[in-house]
Amino acid sequence: MTCLYGQEIVSVASNGKQASVTVRQDQQDVTSTFDAMVVCAGTASRTLASQLGDSVNIYPVKGYSITVNLLDEASQAAAPVVSLLDDETKLVTSRLGNDRFRVAGTAEFNGYNKDIRADRIRPLIDWVQQCFPGVSTRSVVPWAGLRPMLPDMLPRVGPGNKPCVFYNTGHGHLGWTLSAITADMIGDVVLQSMGSASKQPRPATLTTASA
Ligand SMILES: Cc1cc2nc3c(=O)[nH]c(=O)nc-3n(C[C@H](O)[C@H](O)[C@H](O)COP(=O)(O)OP(=O)(O)OC[C@H]3O[C@@H](n4cnc5c(N)ncnc54)[C@H](O)[C@@H]3O)c2cc1C
């Protein structure tokens, strides 16, 4: 197996029998063909899907996080060690080792825009100060990312219109949580479609999604 990293895909196509991917290398476009293709490109999946004749209506839903550096022992003792979900504010937290505490949340519809807005970061800091007054917020690293989300909030996991094209994308706010199961599901679908019977296929349908 060959893994190619750091590739910029400029276009994809399929003639129904093979899938082709064109990448830009040293200002030149290089096209490779494959037996099959699984599209899993986050919010860019929508554009790639349209090149393949599929409608995958993924929208970018921006979220923000702060990582609070726990620089002193008092802050390290005051920050929670278990993950939390504050249902009222819809904020979630994770303790990253001894000296970092991450708080994430918010859903902003602002296109493909990754600007980090101070007025979105401030409530996250305020929340930490209110809920965990012993934690110093002197050192905070802000971040913003785009959740690839479909209107029904379920990922698209399954075949496209053309044989040899598949999708495993659109996991929205639960991409990490669902990554293992949906990878397993799409693996079954690809195996089934490509004619291998080494695994018993299961239907590629997610029926539930948690908060
Ligand atoms: C603030 C925030 C908090 C979150 N918290 C959680 C959480 O607690 N639990 C959870 O389960 N999920 C969480 N998520 C959601 C999770 O991060 C996403 O669902 C997940 O990252 C989606 O993974 P993905 O691989 O499908 O897409 P992405 O992570 O968007 O990856 C897509 C990849 O495709 C690449 N790509 C796109 N176009 C091209 C191209 N033309 N050529 C080459 N490469 C390309 C991109 O560079 C990128 O590496 C959170 C998201 C945010 C924003």
Side-chain angles (χ1 to χ4, degrees), residues 7-10 40-44 61 63-65 92 104-105 143 145-148 168-178:
Q7 306 286 308
E8 182 197 351
I9 297 169
V10 289
C40 48
T43 54
V61 180
Y64 294 84
S65 77
V92 293
W143 179 82
L146 302 177
R147 303 180 187 91
N168 183 18
T169 188
H171 296 67
H173 61 312
L174 287 176
W176 291 98
T177 312
L178 297 175

